[in-house]
């Protein structure tokens, strides 16, 4: 997508005009214009010169955005995205101050002198024509200061594409010209000596209305510009993360280079307290790096030689030397900024209604104003009264509120997501994520850790755990099998001594063999070990129970005697159950999709708490399963983005989890930088809240115009006595857009991880248990239950045969039952 900066737009009618003109250019596949950021995103092979020419022909100006920020080594804060709103606000502020000063003077002349007799200079003291002329000159000065409204407005009328400025220009011009006509009529009456007639024409002056309209609209525009600037705060803060320079080692010396001169392969150093300039890999040193600005994770991440670091993160403690792996537009920070910017340049489907209305809104308002004036004149009202009603219609109408209703909420929502490591690629993705009814979770790497971990260590009666681990490590540290890595990590955690195995061999039939101190050591599956040593029946049964739980039992023997079992499994992430529980509370149907066998899949699915398990599905079959689920409703697919690409693409919304530095996952609509399933319900909640905010904005924008225009036209004067002057109409218009933008800014206060009332409630379950005989039985049962992540506390009584379990989150009864029955007791009932 190529992005352009568009200038001269003032309302939704302008953006609709530009979009229509560019879409008609040959070679443009898709065009989206953002009034919020004064930008345009264009897809297709069309030449930039043709696009810019089309925009110019429509009455506006455009230029191709330069490769800003980190891409060129320039400071992102100097890019147009950041700079132009500030210039606009400063200019509007100057215009407002000058307009207010003149307006106060005008009000003194028109109201202070005429109503309360406040003194004026001698020439105008008792000369009504001089007073009128003074009002004309002050009003003309205010109109000159705010000439932008007239240039833009009348230019849009000439191009037959009237915008909001046209309404303001027509309203204030009509008031000024009619007042000028009244002034000339007064002069004529005064010349004829008809003082009474001249005095009566003072009531036909609307100079203060013309000036007040322009001043109030300028005030509203300034408030709107300031608020719009705040909607891009998240993007600006990302742009400021990367330092302007990097300390690079060249020819053995440390030198400071602009960011744009750092190339891939350069070695750079980062001192404590400095930001990391580009993506790289640590060569020397260790430190804790704060990655919260990119991922939303508040806990610093430890880095050592071999660890990766990302541009824009903060080195907190140690001195590190790194090698640049990605620079310029390829860095993680650049990709995030591009993603947020591109999302802002796209349009959500809900915005189409407002766009359609904006296309004919201004011409319709001009027509209504003309009809209003004609009807009042025909009904016998004075020309001045009729004109006041027409002017009120022109200046109360606000297409801006319609145009801003969607993009401001999208921009703020995207910023909130980016601050938590949740990146929506398009506005459509942000809208649709909250409307899905089914969430499909890939098992490996999404629900589970994606790598095996030791879950159980079961030595035979005469062997210690330490001895079992030592012999297992002696074999496994020479193995390249993935399960071996799990045992090595466990032993390293415990600090167990590792004896050296000699004559190591990987044997057919899932077995390993070697010699430790001259004695033969074996390791492998039950089938392999049972052929070599005697395996007690109870250990075989234990092995079967572990297999039923989705674990892989590994047997180890030493010198012909069984040492015990070490069970390994791809364990469920700590937050998976809680995340799935949150999805349930949000009314979503949760499905686990995996290539595992049915038995293992159902065990893991039960522990995770999913509603449905689809097992035995190969990667190329996942897309087919998604298509089947889409017959029941909109589907979100969550995967790691590696082997899930077809399924992510097929789903209504594809979410790639744990992207880390690789944020540009092509198949995904939403990218989660952290490897936490909790970000899935957070993304859905953010989408729902943003969509709700958009609906509130659209309701206000439509309601305001539907009620305001009839009120300004005088429909309620005879019915209820309600009458709206042009001044109050201008004030209402000024505040309408400001209210829409301010409402969108409320999304910044949203806690996307907040708990619902249902989640806050503690659940208590009572279990009836048979077989507990003493205090030791109580202790075993209590320990087994409290070992479950979802259990906060268990109160067990062997005399009453009960266990009262307090839960932190929902957990299937089956899991509670299995935990107790593994200790040798029988669960009769759970209530």
């Amino acid at each position: 997508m190529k992005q352009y900066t568009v200038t001269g737009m003032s309302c939704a009618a302008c953006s609709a005009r530009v979009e229509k003109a560019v879409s008609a250019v040959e070679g443009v596949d898709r065009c989206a214009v953002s009034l919020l950021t004064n930008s345009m995103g264009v897809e297709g092979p069309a030449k930039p010169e043709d696009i810019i020419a089309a925009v110019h022909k429509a009455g506006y100006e455009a230029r191709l955005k330069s490769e800003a920020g980190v891409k060129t080594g320039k400071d992102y804060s100097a890019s147009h995205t950041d700079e132009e709103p500030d210039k606009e606000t400063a200019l509007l502020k100057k215009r407002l101050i000058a307009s207010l000063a003149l307006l106060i003077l005008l009000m003194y002349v028109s109201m202070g002198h005429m109503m309360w007799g406040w003194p004026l200079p001698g020439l105008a003291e008792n000369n009504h024509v001089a007073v009128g002329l003074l009002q004309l000159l002050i009003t003309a000065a205010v109109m000159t200061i705010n000439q932008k409204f007239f240039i833009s407005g009348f230019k849009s009328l000439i191009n037959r594409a009237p915008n909001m400025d046209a309404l303001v220009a027509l309203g204030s011009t009509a008031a000024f010209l009619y007042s000028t006509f009244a002034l000339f009529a007064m002069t004529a009456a005064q010349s004829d000596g008809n003082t009474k007639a001249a005095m009566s024409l003072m009531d036909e002056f609307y100079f203060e209305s013309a000036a007040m309209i322009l001043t109030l609209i300028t005030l509203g525009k300034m408030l709107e510009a300031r608020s719009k600037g705040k909607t891009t705060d998240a993007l600006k803060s990302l742009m400021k993360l990367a330092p302007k320079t990097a300390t690079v080692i060249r020819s053995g010396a440390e030198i400071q280079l602009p960011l744009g001169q750092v190339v891939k392969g350069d070695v750079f150093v980062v001192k404590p307290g400095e930001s990391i300039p580009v993506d790289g890999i640590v060569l020397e040193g260790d430190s804790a790096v704060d990655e919260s600005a990119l991922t939303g994770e508040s806990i610093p991440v430890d880095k050592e030689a071999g660890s990766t670091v990302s541009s824009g993160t903060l080195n907190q403690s140690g001195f590190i030397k790194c090698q640049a792996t990605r620079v310029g537009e390829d860095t993680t920070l650049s990709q995030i900024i591009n993603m947020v910017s591109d999302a802002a340049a796209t349009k959500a489907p809900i915005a189409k209604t407002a766009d359609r209305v904006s296309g004919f809104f201004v011409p319709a308002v001009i027509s209504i104003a003309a009809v209003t004036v004609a009807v009042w004149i025909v009904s016998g009202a004075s020309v001045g009264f009729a004109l006041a009603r027409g002017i009120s219609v022109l200046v109360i109408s606000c297409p801006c509120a319609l145009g801003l209703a969607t993009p401001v909420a999208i921009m703020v929502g995207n910023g909130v997501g980016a601050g938590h490591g949740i990146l929506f690629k398009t506005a459509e993705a942000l809208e649709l994520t909250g409307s899905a009814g089914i969430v499909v979770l890939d098992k490996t790497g999404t629900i589970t850790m994606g790598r095996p971990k030791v879950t159980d260590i079961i030595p035979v009666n005469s062997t210690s755990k330490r001895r079992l681990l030592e012999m297992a490590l002696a074999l496994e540290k020479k193995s390249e099998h993935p399960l071996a890595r799990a045992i090595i990590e466990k032993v390293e955690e415990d600090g167990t001594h590792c004896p050296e195995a000699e004559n190591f061999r990987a044997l057919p039939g899932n077995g390993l063999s070697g010699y430790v101190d001259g004695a033969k050591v074996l390791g492998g599956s039950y089938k392999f070990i049972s052929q070599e040593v005697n395996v007690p029946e109870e250990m075989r049964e234990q092995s079967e129970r572990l297999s039923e739980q989705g674990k892989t039992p590994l047997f180890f023997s030493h010198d012909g005697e069984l040492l015990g079992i070490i069970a390994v499994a791809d364990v469920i992430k700590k937050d998976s159950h809680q995340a799935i529980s949150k999805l349930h509370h949000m009314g979503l149907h949760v499905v686990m999709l995996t290539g595992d066998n049915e038995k293992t899949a159902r065990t893991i699915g039960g522990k995770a708490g999913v509603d449905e398990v689809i097992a035995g599905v190969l990667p190329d079959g996942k897309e087919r399963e998604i298509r089947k689920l889409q017959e029941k409703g909109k589907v979100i697919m969550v995967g790691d983005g590696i082997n899930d690409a077809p399924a992510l693409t097929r789903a209504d919304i594809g979410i790639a989890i744990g992207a880390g530095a690789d944020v540009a996952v092509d198949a995904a609509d939403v990218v989660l930088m952290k490897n936490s399933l909790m970000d899935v319900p957070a993304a859905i909640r953010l989408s729902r809240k943003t969509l709700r905010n958009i609906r509130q904005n659209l309701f206000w924008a439509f309601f305001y115009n539907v009620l305001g225009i009839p009120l300004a036209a005088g429909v309620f004067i005879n019915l209820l006595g309600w009458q709206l002057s042009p001044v109050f109409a201008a004030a209402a218009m000024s505040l309408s857009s400001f209210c829409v933008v301010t409402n969108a800014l409320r999304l910044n206060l949203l806690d996307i991880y907040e708990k619902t009332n249902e989640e806050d409630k503690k659940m208590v379950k009572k279990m009836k248990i048979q077989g507990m005989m003493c205090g030791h039985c109580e202790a075993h049962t209590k320990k087994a239950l409290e070992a479950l992540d979802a259990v906060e506390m268990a109160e067990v009584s062997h005399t009453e045969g009960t266990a009262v379990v307090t839960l932190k989150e929902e957990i299937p009864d089956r899991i509670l039952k299995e935990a107790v029955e593994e200790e040798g007791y029988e669960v009769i009932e759970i209530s």
Side-chain angles (χ1 to χ4, degrees):
M1 176 186 285
K2 291 180 181 177
Q3 291 205 30
Y4 297 77
T5 297
V6 182
T7 56
M9 297 190 299
S10 61
C11 68
C14 299
S15 58
R17 167 81 173 170
V18 173
E19 198 166 301
K20 184 177 179 181
V22 174
S23 297
V25 175
E26 187 177 350
V28 172
D29 297 331
R30 192 164 72 94
C31 171
V33 180
S34 172
L35 176 64
L36 174 66
T37 56
N38 292 319
S39 63
M40 173 176 65
V42 180
E43 291 182 1
K47 296 178 181 178
E49 310 89 74
D50 295 340
I51 292 169
I52 292 170
V55 175
H56 179 74
K57 190 177 179 181
Y60 308 91
E61 298 300 326
R63 66 174 178 272
L64 191 63
K65 282 190 179 180
S66 61
E67 299 292 339
V70 174
K71 295 183 184 181
T72 59
K74 295 179 183 177
D75 180 11
Y76 261 116
S77 61
S79 68
H80 296 300
T81 308
D82 191 5
E83 191 175 52
E84 287 182 4
D86 292 335
K87 280 187 175 180
E88 182 187 357
T89 305
L91 186 61
L92 284 167
K93 189 176 180 180
K94 289 179 182 177
R95 277 171 47 190
L96 178 62
I97 292 171
S99 299
L100 275 173
L102 290 170
L103 181 63
I104 291 170
L105 180 60
L106 178 60
M107 298 304 288
Y108 180 92
V109 174
S110 65
M111 299 184 71
H113 174 70
M114 299 304 299
M115 296 178 66
W116 300 299
W118 292 352
L120 285 175
L123 179 66
E125 185 65 39
N126 295 308
N127 189 332
H128 299 302
V129 173
V131 171
L133 187 59
L134 190 57
Q135 291 183 48
L136 182 147
L137 292 173
I138 297 171
T139 304
V142 174
M143 294 172 77
T144 303
I145 290 168
N146 294 284
Q147 61 185 283
K148 184 179 178 182
F149 289 123
F150 299 95
I151 295 170
S152 171
F154 288 121
K155 191 176 179 181
S156 71
L157 287 170
I158 292 169
N159 289 323
R160 293 183 295 175
N163 57 15
M164 187 207 77
D165 289 341
L167 298 178
V168 176
L170 285 173
S172 56
T173 300
F176 181 78
L177 291 177
Y178 180 77
S179 302
T180 304
F181 171 78
L183 178 59
F184 277 104
M186 175 191 284
T187 305
Q190 187 94 350
S191 300
D192 294 339
N194 192 345
T195 307
K196 188 175 181 181
M199 284 284 292
S200 66
L201 286 168
M202 291 288 287
D203 295 333
E204 300 298 314
F205 284 175
Y206 287 94
F207 287 120
E208 74 278 2
S209 293
M212 183 76 81
I213 287 168
L214 293 169
T215 304
L216 287 174
I217 299 299
T218 302
L219 172 64
K221 282 286 183 184
M222 193 196 76
L223 293 173
E224 179 187 322
R226 289 184 60 145
S227 298
K228 280 163 66 177
K230 290 180 181 178
T231 64
T232 56
D233 279 352
L235 186 57
K236 291 174 189 174
S237 63
L238 284 172
M239 291 173 175
K240 293 173 183 175
L241 287 177
K244 294 182 177 68
T245 60
T247 305
V248 178
I249 298 176
R250 295 268 175 95
S251 302
E254 292 184 9
I255 57 172
Q256 292 280 331
L257 287 180
L259 212 56
Q261 294 182 23
V262 180
V263 296
K264 186 177 178 180
D266 270 344
V267 175
F268 62 93
V269 297
V270 188
K271 298 171 185 176
E274 292 182 346
S275 292
I276 294 169
V278 296
D279 290 7
I281 185 167
V282 179
L283 300 176
E284 294 178 19
D286 52 72
S287 181
V289 175
D290 181 1
E291 298 181 341
S292 59
L294 297 188
T295 66
E297 182 60 63
S298 58
I299 301 172
V301 180
D302 291 331
K303 302 290 183 180
E304 57 186 15
S307 300
T308 57
V309 290
S310 298
S311 169
T313 56
L314 182 65
N315 181 26
Q316 286 195 327
S317 54
F319 177 91
I320 52 176
K321 182 186 290 185
C322 312
Q323 184 174 41
T325 55
R326 293 196 290 193
V327 298
E329 64 179 349
D330 296 325
T331 65
T332 306
L333 179 61
S334 289
Q335 290 182 49
I336 292 172
I337 291 170
N338 289 340
M339 203 174 289
V340 175
S341 298
D342 287 347
T346 60
K347 284 198 173 181
I350 196 172
K352 291 176 182 176
T353 303
D355 287 346
R356 282 195 294 269
V357 172
S358 299
F360 62 81
F361 182 84
V362 176
V365 168
I366 294 173
S367 301
I368 292 170
V371 170
T372 298
V373 173
V375 169
W376 278 110
I377 289 174
V378 170
S379 63
S382 68
V383 174
F385 180 87
L387 194 62
R389 305 286 71 76
I391 292 170
S392 295
V393 169
L394 288 172
V395 297
I396 200 172
S397 308
C398 190
C400 272
L402 285 172
L404 291 171
T406 301
V408 289
I410 292 291
M411 176 61 87
V412 177
N414 259 313
V416 171
H420 292 89
I422 300 170
L423 306 175
F424 295 90
K425 286 190 175 180
T426 62
E428 184 176 8
L430 181 54
E431 178 183 334
L432 295 181
T433 299
S435 62
I438 302 169
V439 178
V440 180
L441 305 174
D442 180 47
K443 189 208 79 172
T444 306
T446 302
I447 293 177
T448 64
M449 296 291 290
R451 62 181 187 275
K453 302 276 283 185
V454 172
T455 58
D456 302 85
I457 302 171
I458 307 168
V460 294
N461 295 332
S462 58
T463 306
S464 67
K465 283 188 178 181
R466 186 181 183 86
R467 174 74 171 158
L468 173 57
L469 284 171
E470 284 178 355
M471 293 300 108
L473 180 60
L475 285 178
E476 299 291 0
K477 77 172 185 177
K478 294 192 174 184
S479 171
E480 296 180 358
H481 196 280
L483 298 182
R485 185 67 228 164
I487 294 175
I488 293 168
E489 285 180 0
K490 176 63 178 174
V491 174
E492 287 175 351
E493 284 176 15
D494 295 348
T496 303
H497 166 69
C498 176
E500 191 68 29
E502 299 173 348
N503 298 327
F504 171 82
R505 291 174 62 200
L507 303 173
N510 298 321
L512 303 173
S513 75
Y515 288 85
V516 175
D517 297 330
K520 191 175 184 180
V521 180
L522 298 173
S525 65
Y526 169 75
K527 182 179 179 180
F528 171 76
I529 290 290
S530 62
Q531 295 172 356
E532 303 288 334
V533 301
N534 179 46
V535 179
E537 183 64 19
E538 62 184 65
M539 295 300 283
R540 186 188 65 79
E541 292 174 356
Q542 185 82 329
S543 167
E544 289 178 355
R545 281 198 294 270
L546 291 169
S547 296
E548 288 173 0
Q549 295 169 22
K551 301 173 183 178
T552 302
L554 301 174
F555 290 77
F556 294 90
S557 69
H558 177 256
D559 201 19
E561 292 186 6
L562 185 68
L563 296 175
I565 301 173
I566 297 178
V568 178
D570 183 7
V571 296
I572 294 174
K573 294 177 187 174
K574 288 184 179 180
D575 60 2
S576 289
H577 192 281
Q578 185 182 0
I580 291 167
S581 177
K582 282 179 177 287
L583 292 172
H584 286 148
H585 285 302
M586 297 169 83
L588 295 161
H589 181 75
V590 185
V591 180
M592 186 181 84
L593 193 60
T594 178
D596 284 352
N597 64 71
E598 188 82 20
K599 194 173 186 180
T600 301
R602 295 212 170 274
T603 300
I604 293 173
K607 288 181 179 179
V610 299
D611 300 305
E612 183 181 346
V613 175
I614 302 176
V617 183
L618 297 175
D620 58 353
K622 290 181 179 179
E623 186 266 348
R624 185 174 58 254
E625 296 297 332
I626 293 294
R627 196 185 301 125
K628 288 180 184 176
L629 288 168
Q630 283 177 320
E631 295 173 4
K632 303 175 184 177
K634 289 183 180 177
V635 174
I636 292 173
M637 172 68 196
V638 185
D640 57 17
I642 300 169
N643 60 359
D644 301 313
L648 290 172
T649 305
R650 166 58 62 183
D652 296 282
I653 291 292
I655 299 180
I657 189 170
D662 300 314
V663 295
V665 182
D666 292 334
D669 303 292
V670 184
V671 178
L672 308 180
M673 293 190 66
K674 290 179 291 190
N675 197 15
S676 170
L677 200 57
M678 289 294 289
D679 282 345
V680 174
I684 294 170
R685 179 177 284 119
L686 176 58
S687 170
R688 289 180 177 181
K689 293 288 186 182
T690 302
L691 191 58
R692 182 181 176 188
N693 192 279
I694 291 171
R695 286 172 177 152
Q696 289 170 348
N697 287 343
L698 287 173
F699 171 78
W700 163 253
F702 280 111
F703 173 78
Y704 163 83
N705 284 296
V706 167
L707 180 66
I709 291 174
L711 179 62
V715 171
F716 303 110
I717 289 177
N718 294 327
L719 292 174
L720 302 170
W722 293 355
Q723 182 176 323
L724 194 68
S725 74
V727 170
F728 286 108
M733 180 189 181
S734 300
L735 291 173
S736 60
S737 297
F738 176 69
C739 291
V740 164
V741 178
T742 304
N743 184 53
L745 288 173
R746 291 191 307 112
L747 286 171
N748 282 316
L749 305 175
L750 175 66
D751 178 8
I752 60 175
Y753 298 102
E754 69 182 352
K755 291 184 177 181
T756 61
N757 291 333
E758 291 86 353
E759 290 172 304
D760 283 330
K761 293 177 183 176
K762 297 290 184 184
M763 292 189 62
V764 177
K765 292 190 177 185
K766 186 175 182 179
M767 306 175 67
K768 288 186 178 179
I769 303 171
Q770 274 188 356
M772 295 191 297
M773 307 297 293
C774 62
H776 290 295
C777 299
E778 282 183 8
H780 287 151
T781 305
K782 180 180 175 70
K783 184 177 180 181
L785 288 169
E786 291 183 347
L788 299 171
D789 290 337
V791 175
E792 184 174 287
M793 181 177 63
E795 296 178 5
V796 184
S797 170
H798 75 276
T799 55
E800 296 180 9
T802 60
V804 179
V805 184
T806 304
L807 302 175
K808 291 181 281 189
E809 56 194 48
E810 284 187 2
I811 185 172
D813 290 349
R814 177 176 51 77
I815 295 176
L816 294 172
K817 184 177 180 181
E818 286 176 357
V820 173
E821 291 185 344
E822 280 182 9
E823 297 298 319
Y825 310 108
E826 183 181 357
V827 177
I828 305 300
E829 180 185 337
I830 300 178
S831 59

